Structure formats: structure tokens, C-alpha cells
Amino acid sequence: MSQQPVVFTRRSFLEGLNLSVGGLALGLVPTVSAEAAAPGVGAKSAPELRPNVFVHVAADGLVTIVCHRSEMGQGIRSSMPVVIADELGADMARVKVVQAVGDAVYGDQNTDGSSSIRGVFQALRRTGATARTMLVAAAAKRWKVNPEQCEARDHAVYLRGSERSLGFGELVADAVKLPVPKPEAVQLRPLSELRRVGTELPLLDGPAYVTGKAVYGADVKLPGMLIAVVARPPVVGGKVTRFDATRALAIPGVKQVLELPTPQRPYLFQGWGGVAVLAENTWAAMRGREALDITWENGPNVSYDSEKYREALLESVRAPGKPARSVGDVDKALASAARVLEAEYYAPHLSHAPMEPPVALARVEGGVCEVWAPTQHPQAARSEAAKMAGLPEDKVTVNVTLLGGGFGRKSKADFVAEAVFLAKAAGVPVRVQWTREDDIRHDYYHSASAQRLSAGLDAKGKPTAWLHRTAFPAIRSTFSEDVTGPVARDLNQGVLDLALDIPNVRAEMGEALAKVRIGWLRSVNNIFHGFAVGSFMDELAHARGVDPRDNLLEVIGPARHVSVAELGVTALPNYGAPVENHPVDAGRLRGVIERVTELSGWSEREKNGRTLGLAAHRSFLSYVGVVVSVKKDAVGKARVDEAWVVVDAGLVVNPDRVRSQMEGSVIFGMSLAMYGSITMKDGATEQSNFRDYRLVRIVDAPRAIHVDIVRSEAAPGGVGEPGVPPVAPAIVNAIFALTGTRVRELPIIRTVPV
């Protein structure tokens, strides 16, 4: 029997996913335990097949797929289930998607590091294939044939060469009696049989987004709950010495004022400390906080000053550091070079600034704790909640709502810890609501960094040496007290894995002590490494008198898999993936450069008052090339007019979401490059809201962003983060071509008007 294509409309797809237009319940209905991964599992009225915690097939044929990662607009709830369903052979119109609670049974649930598809693609396929194998075995047993004579598709098992078929629901009663096959015994389909993977997929939560009925953290309500806002110490490591709550308690609606515990180093995911005002509504809580009389002890970080710290970082990279990568003899090559080109780059602290500030609702009663939160890391939230509630983790449930942006901020569980502490202390459910000011002033900031790059050129202008020094406070400082700067693993992002066809290469690390909580932000260390390397490549091109595109391709070298030995490292962390599966591929990097310059019309890069800038970067196992055009507006400001992005992320599951992520990366990268800067004075953050921590607005946005996705069957790479690093250097390179001014310090607005 010939295989017929499956056709489904957006309407049937969404209806089949059991998505009510009123919004997904997400914690507003009773949640299920880890032993019952989906609503209805465990009911004894009808047989049901549950070969693993991700897939459940009911007797009526409904397939329930659990999404264990968090949805924050990237479309993971619309992508991950399709991989499982394709491998199973399910009809998406008869699939329901539910959100997992935080539990170790799901493996790694941290929606971070662009790993939701690249990290578990094969595992997702195995979960679907396991259920398929059992259903096929049940059908084969009933028909008394070999399982190889059967195929699962269109929500049924078919006997090849006949008209016979049995729906999934019809097979459940027999399938549940079969042993669950071991993972290594399960055979995956050929990629060509994954019928929806790589096609245009509907956005599961789209209708709820556009109707305003999507359920985010602040949308969840419980009877009798109070709203809390917290007055936190202005300086990291500060604490309350005294406070008077009299005026705050006089505000109508204010019910309680409670002091939170002072965090101890290392800070990890502890709350910041301070004093909380609990009220019947957010406005009353905010007014109550304003009325508090608090005296702070600022602690040792009160001396933190951004300008002084900037100079300290620059001094760090002006001296030899600890080697992290070494090939040949850089010192000798630089000493004998006909010319040495050097440049220093600086990038400040950055805030995540998601549109939805942190928020968490907690209830602690009857020996159990339940949390509702927009968390990227529900398992970490569960662990922190258990500590604060004084309960074992199996008595804690973390329900994951939709996230209004995260960018790494919501992988930290400090806001969950605050909610649980206050709920337990107050004896009622408490929702901790961060304001925008709280979010900007009390973030886990992205590292400030200084970098110094040197290149030696021979008499013909060919690069013979490359020296890269970098210094920044490491994220590990948030988790350990004895961290004095980066280690080699921190340079995995854009330094150790940089393909260079240069005979002498060295990378070094300088010391940098952390004075604030440091956390990962979208693209992490690739942000400043990509900025420095991408900018220096352009400087090298102009110093040599070579087209920046041609220079970049020459310095990268010929298409090849760059070995660990050629990179000059003992091992490559490689974002947790085996180098054998995800090598440093100079050919793929060259490919995105060649394609993006072709699409952007690079040969006419200075025409009609606009100039083009180019950069490319490997991160999270994907390759991205970016070209931007910059022109001056009517008042002489440099404006990004248009952008082109080419991404090679290996096998792509959901092209629509990849395009969206690349478009978002351009806007996100523009915000960081043009305006992003968190500065400290007397230990406290000087910025407070979007008026002084500015983001790109509609007036700043390019008139067009063009995205091209390289078709590939290579192992999937990351998508959410790789588009960000090349944006800043592409912009500053275009600005140089337009104005002749080199931008070596971010944000750009400090150097040229934008």
C-alpha cells in the first residue's frame, strides 16, 4: 500500500493538541507526579501505554507528549513534540502536549545553552521509537507476522502489502503487556521518514500569545495569596542593619513586613536578602516598600567602581597571562614580524532585561510546597524551594508557566527562593513580583571583559602570529569563592574553537575578581569574544589592504575539520558534545561567510551612502555569518539599515522558529552593541529602567532582516544563541567603513552617535 502524505491545517493541528483558546492551564489545574507524566496517566478505567516519561498512548488513541523544557517564545513546545511524534508515526491532530513539572526523571531540564534540540535530538527520537516498537510488536503478534512486515504511520500500524491496519488505541491493551525494549535495541527511522521535521510547523502557543490569554508567571492566582515586593541591598553582599516597618504597615492593603535571610558567599541561587512588603495587591506592596525606613551595611563591594574596574581589566590583558591555547612560537614570530598590529577591546556588564521581570508564586502548607514560576531550570528551582521550605524534594512541585523572555536570567532560582521563604513565613501563598528596577539593579550580570589582540605580519603582509589575551570575572565566581578569573573552559566560546590558518597562535587568560553576581546571558562569553575577534579581523584586513571578506576566508584557511592538535589545546569542551560528532569545521564557517556576502551584495559594499560590515562566528556547535548595512540619518547618526544572516545549524527541526531566533538575535545583538551597559558606582548599579538601560526600539530597527538557513543533515547545533555574537562586530565594521572611526569599546554610543 502506497504511503499517503499527511495533511493538517493549523486549526486541526491546534485542536488536536487540545489547546483551548482560553489558554493552557499550566499549573492552574492539579499537576501530576513524576510517576504519572501526563494528566490521566494512572487511571485504571482503560489500558494505556507508557513506555517512558515522555510518551503516553491512551486506549482512545490520544497520544500525550511531555515537553520537559521551558517555552519562552523560542517554540520548543512546537518543535520537540514533533520529533517524538514523527518517530512514533503519530498524527499531530491527535497529539496533546503537556508541560513537565521539575523532576530529575526527565533528565536535564535546563532550557539553556541552546541545547533543547541539539542536546537531546537522538534521545527524543528514541522515546518515540520505543513506543512505536511496542505498538508494532503488538500488531505483529495479533496478525501473527514478523514485525518487519509492519509499519507505523498516520496514527496506526499497517501490514505492508495489504489493506490491514490497527489504530494506536486499538493496540494499547496488547502493547502494555509487552516488555519495554532497551534503548540500544530500538531502531530509529531514516531521517527521510521524519515527515514533519524540517517543515513549516504551526506555533502551538501562538493563538494564546496574540489573544492575551497565555499564562505567564504573574497570571497565576491562588485564593488568599499576597503580593510581595522586596527592598534589596543596593550592593551585593550588603545586609540590613535595622528597619522600621511602621509607615509601610500604615499603607492600605499592606498586611505584613518580613526580613529575608542574608545570603552567604558563594551566592549561588540564594535570594539577595532585604525586607519584603506583603500586600493585597502589587501597588500597595510597592507603596509600602517606598515607606520602609531601612539602614544598610553595604559590605566589602561598596568600593566597586566601573571606571576603575575597566582600567584594572585592561592592565590585566597588557601583561602575560595563563596560557589556554598554544601553537608554534608566538613570541619569536612577533619579534621577527615585519609589522605587528595590536588592538584592545572592552565590553561592560550587561543585564538580561527580559520583558517579563522575575516572578514566582509559592504555597507551603500541610508538609508540601508548590511553586508556579517562569523558570528555565525547574529542577534547580525545585532544589532551592526544598531548601527554603525545609522539605525533601519529593514534597516540592514546580509548575512551569510560559516565560516572557529569559536569556539565562530565569535559570537562576533566587526569585523562587524568595517566594518560598515568604510563603512559609507568612502562612499564606505569596507571589514575589520583581519590578523593572529590581530586575535591572539586582541581576546576575553578564561579565565585563577586556581583550588585547596582536597579529604579526611578514614582509608580504601574511599573518604569521596571533596572540589573544582576555580577562573577565567568571561565572564560576557565583558558585565558588576562590575564583580569580577565567579558566581554559571559559575560553571554549570563541577563542579555543576559533579556526585559524596561522602557524603561531596563543591565547592567554588574565585575572579578574568578581564584584557582583555573574551569570550566563544569551551567547555568554561569545558576546565579547565574538566582538573582539570579529572586529580585529576587520582591522587586520584594512592593515593588509585586503577585502575584509577575502581576509577572513584566508585567516580561517581551507575547508577542513580543525583537529584539537591544530587548535593547540589538550581538550576542547565543545559545549558538552563529542568533537567527533561536532568538529570545528572551517568549511561550514567559510560556507556561511560566502553565502551571506553573496546575498548582501558584498561586491557593492559602499554604495548609495551606505556601507556593509561583515562578521562570522562559531558557537553552540552552529555557524553564523552576518552582514549589516549602516547609513547616516538626517541628523548624522549611524543607523543599521538592513541585515543579512546565514545560519548553518545542522539538521533543523523547525525552520520558522530558526528564522525567528535569528531575527531576534539581530535585535538583541543590536541592543547590546549600541546601548547595553551596566555601570557601578560605590558598589551600586547606576541604571534602573529602560530610560537608562536602553534597548533597540522600533525606530532603531533595520527596515529588513534577511535570514537564510543552510540545508544540512549534520547533527543539530544550537539556535537560540549563535546568532548574537557576529552582530556587534558586523555593526562596528560597517561603522568604520562609513565613518573611518574604530569602535573598540561597547556600547557603540560611547564612541559614535547612534
Side-chain angles (χ1 to χ4, degrees):
M1 183 177 181
S2 63
Q3 183 169 303
Q4 298 297 317
V6 174
V7 179
F8 57 91
T9 64
R10 180 179 294 267
R11 178 179 177 85
S12 68
F13 182 93
L14 293 171
E15 288 175 345
L17 286 167
N18 207 28
L19 174 70
S20 78
V21 178
L24 215 57
L26 286 179
L28 298 180
V29 295
T31 55
V32 296
S33 68
E35 288 70 34
V41 176
K44 302 302 180 184
S45 58
E48 45 201 14
L49 174 64
R50 221 183 121 257
N52 50 61
V53 296
F54 295 97
V55 181
H56 163 249
V57 185
D60 63 0
L62 178 68
V63 173
T64 299
I65 295 177
V66 176
C67 182
H68 71 302
R69 294 294 179 95
S70 302
E71 176 62 67
M72 46 189 165
Q74 84 282 32
I76 196 59
R77 284 162 44 89
S78 304
S79 305
M80 189 176 284
V82 168
V83 177
I84 297 174
D86 266 11
E87 192 64 61
L88 172 59
D91 177 358
M92 286 302 297
R94 302 183 67 187
V95 171
K96 175 183 178 182
V97 179
V98 298
Q99 187 69 45
V101 298
D103 199 296
V105 298
Y106 299 111
D108 180 11
Q109 287 184 266
N110 190 10
T111 311
D112 202 277
S114 296
S115 62
S116 290
I117 292 295
R118 72 171 177 87
V120 294
F121 181 68
Q122 294 298 95
L124 292 174
R125 295 182 64 191
R126 281 194 295 273
T127 64
T130 300
R132 168 171 51 80
T133 300
M134 296 178 72
L135 291 168
V136 166
K141 187 175 182 180
R142 188 178 299 186
W143 289 327
K144 296 181 174 56
V145 299
N146 193 299
E148 280 70 31
Q149 295 177 253
C150 306
E151 65 172 324
R153 56 179 171 82
D154 303 342
H155 226 77
V157 177
Y158 293 81
L159 181 61
R160 299 181 194 274
S162 78
E163 298 296 323
R164 301 173 75 179
S165 67
L166 290 167
F168 285 171
E170 298 176 83
L171 293 167
V172 166
D174 292 340
V176 294
K177 300 173 185 177
L178 300 174
V180 177
K182 294 182 178 180
E184 60 270 17
V186 173
Q187 185 172 354
L188 302 181
R189 296 178 185 269
L191 286 173
S192 60
E193 289 186 14
L194 301 182
R195 298 163 63 186
R196 299 174 190 86
V197 167
T199 66
E200 299 299 322
L201 301 174
L203 183 60
L204 166 63
D205 298 295
Y209 294 154
V210 298
T211 58
K213 295 180 179 179
V215 178
Y216 296 91
D219 295 322
V220 184
K221 296 179 174 60
L222 292 177
M225 77 177 193
L226 295 177
I227 311 298
V229 297
V230 180
R232 299 174 181 84
V235 179
V236 171
K239 62 182 179 180
V240 177
T241 57
R242 58 162 293 279
F243 74 95
D244 185 346
T246 304
R247 288 187 299 153
L249 289 168
I251 301 292
V254 172
K255 298 299 182 183
Q256 298 186 49
V257 176
L258 299 170
E259 185 175 357
L260 287 101
T262 300
Q264 303 299 312
R265 295 192 65 184
Y267 298 119
L268 291 89
F269 296 152
Q270 301 172 76
W272 190 286
V275 180
V277 176
L278 285 64
E280 293 174 340
N281 57 72
T282 307
W283 177 240
M286 292 171 66
R287 291 185 62 209
R289 179 172 65 175
E290 292 173 0
L292 286 171
D293 179 12
I294 306 176
T295 302
W296 305 103
E297 179 185 312
N298 287 323
N301 290 321
V302 71
S303 62
Y304 189 28
D305 180 277
S306 287
E307 285 303 313
K308 293 178 181 178
Y309 193 72
R310 173 182 176 277
E311 290 305 314
L313 287 179
L314 287 169
E315 286 300 320
S316 182
V317 296
R318 288 167 184 161
K322 184 177 179 181
R325 172 182 183 180
S326 184
V327 178
D329 190 333
V330 169
D331 293 333
K332 182 178 179 181
L334 288 175
S336 61
R339 181 182 179 187
V340 175
L341 180 70
E342 294 182 320
E344 293 178 346
Y345 301 91
Y346 177 77
H349 287 301
L350 299 168
S351 177
H352 297 79
M355 288 297 103
E356 175 201 39
V359 57
L361 170 62
R363 176 173 59 197
V364 183
E365 61 184 31
V368 297
C369 171
E370 192 161 13
V371 173
W372 293 260
T375 172
Q376 292 177 243
H377 198 344
Q379 291 167 351
R382 190 187 195 198
S383 297
E384 205 64 36
K387 292 176 190 175
M388 298 308 297
L391 295 170
E393 285 197 18
D394 62 3
K395 298 297 182 182
V396 177
T397 301
V398 173
N399 304 288
V400 182
T401 67
L402 295 173
L403 282 67
F407 312 124
R409 173 60 181 96
K410 292 171 186 171
S411 287
K412 295 84 171 175
D414 55 325
F415 55 101
V416 172
E418 291 175 337
V420 173
F421 174 84
L422 292 173
K424 181 179 180 182
V428 297
V430 173
R431 188 182 89 209
V432 168
Q433 180 63 64
W434 286 48
T435 64
R436 178 59 59 202
E437 287 77 10
D438 297 333
D439 173 52
I440 297 294
R441 289 172 174 159
H442 305 299
D443 198 0
Y444 286 78
Y445 295 122
H446 184 256
S447 304
S449 75
Q451 297 174 77
R452 182 181 178 89
L453 283 97
S454 305
L457 306 177
D458 64 17
K460 295 182 179 180
K462 185 176 179 61
T464 59
W466 178 281
L467 174 60
H468 187 168
R469 291 175 178 162
T470 179
F472 53 92
I475 294 171
R476 293 173 302 108
S477 63
T478 298
F479 302 90
S480 177
E481 291 188 73
D482 58 355
V483 176
T484 59
V487 295
R489 186 179 186 87
D490 297 319
L491 273 60
N492 177 54
Q493 301 175 3
V495 177
L496 302 187
D497 61 343
L498 176 62
L500 292 170
D501 189 23
I502 297 176
N504 304 286
V505 177
R506 190 165 72 241
E508 299 175 352
M509 304 167 290
E511 288 194 355
L513 297 176
K515 303 292 184 179
V516 293
R517 299 189 304 182
I518 302 295
W520 43 89
L521 177 143
R522 184 180 187 179
S523 194
V524 206
N525 302 331
N526 288 291
I527 293 174
F528 44 74
H529 288 150
F531 164 60
V533 171
S535 300
F536 192 65
M537 287 287 191
D538 195 75
E539 295 206 38
L540 184 59
H542 285 274
R544 300 176 64 202
V546 176
D547 180 319
R549 172 188 177 278
D550 297 340
N551 173 79
L552 190 51
L553 293 173
E554 180 185 342
V555 172
I556 292 169
R560 68 200 185 283
H561 290 176
V562 186
S563 67
V564 170
E566 184 182 347
L567 291 172
V569 297
T570 55
L572 188 68
N574 209 36
Y575 302 94
V579 176
E580 297 76 24
N581 297 343
H582 290 276
V584 176
D585 194 327
R588 294 174 71 183
L589 186 58
R590 290 178 63 94
V592 297
I593 295 167
E594 291 166 344
R595 179 64 175 158
V596 78
T597 50
E598 175 190 355
L599 292 175
S600 61
W602 182 258
S603 60
E604 296 183 307
R605 61 186 179 277
E606 296 183 18
K607 186 178 180 181
N608 298 328
R610 73 170 192 171
T611 58
L612 301 183
L614 165 68
H617 195 79
R618 176 192 191 262
S619 67
F620 299 93
L621 311 178
S622 292
Y623 302 80
V624 178
V626 172
V627 169
V628 299
S629 70
V630 171
K631 61 191 301 185
K632 288 185 179 180
D633 64 12
V635 295
K637 291 185 177 181
R639 295 178 49 82
V640 176
D641 176 60
E642 200 167 0
W644 295 263
V645 182
V646 173
V647 54
D648 181 349
L651 187 145
V652 166
V653 171
N654 192 338
D656 176 70
R657 292 295 89 198
V658 174
R659 281 192 293 271
S660 295
Q661 289 280 30
M662 293 302 116
E663 292 165 352
S665 292
V666 171
I667 301 301
F668 190 90
M670 285 177 61
S671 291
L672 303 185
M674 295 168 67
Y675 309 119
S677 178
I678 290 292
T679 57
M680 317 299 293
K681 188 72 174 177
D682 298 328
T685 303
E686 294 187 287
Q687 291 71 32
S688 63
N689 208 308
F690 292 142
R691 62 180 173 272
D692 47 16
Y693 189 79
R694 184 174 169 183
L695 305 181
V696 163
R697 302 166 185 170
I698 291 176
V699 70
D700 304 310
R703 60 183 175 84
I705 300 174
H706 312 274
V707 177
D708 187 68
I709 303 170
V710 175
R711 295 182 63 86
S712 172
E713 290 192 0
V719 171
E721 294 165 282
V724 174
V727 174
I731 294 173
V732 301
N733 293 342
I735 287 175
F736 173 77
L738 181 69
T739 67
T741 300
R742 278 290 176 197
V743 176
R744 298 191 179 102
E745 179 173 346
L746 297 180
I748 295 169
I749 198 169
R750 294 192 62 166
T751 305
V752 298
V754 291

